[in-house]
Amino acid sequence: MAAPARRLCHIAFHVPAGQPLARDLQRLFGFQPLAARAAGGWRQLALRSGRAVFLVNEGAGAPEPLYGLDPRHPVPSAANLCFEVADAGAAARALAAKGCCVPVPPVRVQDALGAATYAVVSSPAGNLSLTLLERTDYRGPFLPGFRPLPSTAGRGWFSHVDHLTLACTRGSSPSLLRWFQDCLGFHHLPLSPGEDPELGFEVTAGSGQGGLRLTALQTPPGSAVPTLVLAESLPGAAGGLDQVQQFLAQHGGPGLQHVGLYTPNIIEATEGVTLAGGQLLTPPKAYYQRPGKESQILAAGHEPDQLALQGILLDGDQGKFLLQVFTKSLFAEGTFFLELIQRQGATGFGQGNIQALWQSVEEQAARGQEAGAGSHLS
């Protein structure tokens, strides 16, 4: 374990000039501007909802943008995860000693509010890079080099990032799991009892129809790092590309496929996003007609008709439930979406929930209703 991650600081996106991600995060999802910077051909805007911070890097300057790396990816992408570490310099040296590529060695930056040190490490997950940040000496609202923006009364639908899901090439999950274990201190989080970390949790779509393998990782108790989920296709899919393969094809390889944003009130958040013009996936009616689904929703204290109207998925038992709804892609290429999630006692991703979600989205995709929406599991 070379550089144990303490918390997720922000998720950085690289988009071309004029791409509306920053506007959409504010207008559709209630994010509020936090800090901004413009230099070297880049416009950088940090936005916040609760503890969830997104940094939108817009443009394509000659040097790398501050606190990130410009991968010159062919499509807009969630390209960087910034983790806080105890000592950025020591972490970068330790990762380099393990053979990791460190394209941005430790850099110290400061302004009137203090100083911070960061380094950027390449990950084995496609174009995704990792910023290792040490900022205990910084007193500002975001990071040195950024101009703080006036805070406004936001809608506050989301409190933090619940999980991050990477779409991976087939067979790569075990090596990715080992890399995140050895380099950042993650460990395997079983999604079902007795799960083999080399095999993950398999969701099959039927005989000869392929399916999905999910492998979840988390950091030790006490850290503030979201669960990391690795998603890859199982062999045997018929009738064209499955959901993960569609992401890989449109994105041009592995990458961060979606972010789960936690909301304490998913009904209110879903209604707010919809009224603002956000586009959410609508599960097939068959999802809510599954045997036992109505009684399950009622046991969780919700109305089946209301969840169906808003497209909210629910699963769980023994008084512990998970509610989820998914947006359509925030990029025209169909390579990134958001998940709104509320937990009523559930701490993981239950087996029944994953199976039902996979099947319902596959049914929907087969009917051609949500072209380009990407994979919407976990």
Side-chain angles (χ1 to χ4, degrees):
M1 186 170 65
R6 289 183 167 183
R7 62 179 54 84
L8 176 69
C9 300
H10 64 260
I11 302 165
F13 299 79
H14 291 158
V15 301
Q19 205 282 337
L21 176 62
R23 181 199 69 192
D24 289 347
L25 288 171
Q26 296 174 75
R27 181 172 61 88
L28 304 178
F29 301 102
F31 277 69
Q32 297 296 307
L34 176 62
R37 173 180 178 266
W42 291 94
R43 292 179 65 250
Q44 297 180 275
L45 177 63
L47 304 113
R48 176 176 61 192
S49 181
R51 299 193 306 275
V53 178
F54 287 179
L55 175 62
V56 179
N57 297 320
E58 183 178 332
E64 295 88 358
L66 194 63
Y67 299 100
L69 183 71
D70 175 22
R72 293 295 196 273
H73 203 63
V75 296
S77 182
N80 180 274
L81 301 177
C82 179
F83 293 108
E84 187 167 331
V85 296
D87 186 327
R93 291 190 294 272
L95 290 176
K98 284 180 170 287
C100 298
C101 176
V102 185
V104 180
V107 178
R108 180 178 170 83
V109 289
Q110 63 183 42
D111 61 20
L113 296 174
T117 301
Y118 74 94
V120 181
V121 179
S122 297
S123 87
N127 73 319
L128 186 68
S129 61
L130 308 174
T131 297
L132 309 177
L133 176 69
E134 176 189 346
R135 60 173 178 181
T136 53
D137 295 330
Y138 191 66
R139 303 179 303 278
F142 186 52
L143 294 168
F146 283 78
R147 172 175 53 89
L149 297 176
S151 59
T152 58
R155 285 164 281 190
W157 293 326
F158 311 112
S159 61
H160 63 277
V161 174
D162 180 86
H163 63 275
L164 309 158
T165 295
L166 303 181
C168 311
T169 54
R170 189 173 293 156
S172 66
S173 293
S175 61
L176 288 172
L177 181 146
R178 286 191 291 270
W179 191 90
F180 281 98
Q181 283 180 328
D182 295 342
C183 296
L184 293 178
F186 283 82
H187 63 270
H188 177 233
L189 170 65
L191 296 176
S192 64
E195 177 186 314
D196 185 338
E198 291 289 317
L199 300 176
F201 177 71
E202 294 189 358
V203 182
T204 58
S207 178
Q209 298 300 310
L212 183 73
R213 173 178 288 115
L214 297 176
T215 307
L217 302 88
Q218 64 181 10
T219 51
S223 68
V225 177
T227 300
L228 183 65
V229 182
L230 311 176
E232 66 172 70
S233 298
L234 295 174
L241 301 179
D242 67 19
Q243 298 164 46
V244 174
Q245 290 173 311
Q246 287 176 16
F247 172 90
L248 297 175
Q250 294 178 46
H251 185 259
L256 182 61
Q257 179 226 39
H258 80 264
V259 171
L261 293 174
Y262 187 85
T263 174
N265 190 328
I266 197 168
I267 291 175
E268 177 183 301
T270 300
E271 182 179 51
V273 169
T274 302
L275 290 175
Q279 294 185 309
L280 304 176
L281 289 184
T282 303
K285 292 182 180 179
Y287 174 83
Y288 300 97
Q289 296 169 353
R290 293 175 182 272
K293 181 57 65 178
E294 180 177 352
S295 59
Q296 186 182 51
I297 293 173
L298 291 170
H302 298 280
E303 291 296 327
D305 289 345
Q306 183 177 38
L307 296 196
L309 179 65
Q310 296 184 259
I312 298 172
L313 301 162
L314 178 145
D315 200 72
D317 55 23
Q318 298 180 351
K320 297 181 179 181
F321 300 95
L322 188 71
L323 297 93
Q324 299 160 295
V325 67
F326 304 94
T327 74
K328 294 185 180 181
S329 177
L330 274 61
F331 300 144
E333 294 77 7
T335 54
F336 180 78
F337 63 91
L338 296 173
E339 173 184 342
L340 285 54
I341 182 168
Q342 178 184 346
R343 298 179 182 276
Q344 294 181 193
T347 57
F349 304 100
Q351 178 175 341
N353 197 40
I354 295 170
Q355 184 75 44
L357 287 171
W358 171 262
Q359 292 175 349
S360 67
V361 174
E362 284 299 299
E363 291 168 9
Q364 183 168 266
R367 300 201 318 267
Q369 291 187 353
E370 305 292 345
S375 172
H376 298 84
L377 287 176
S378 81

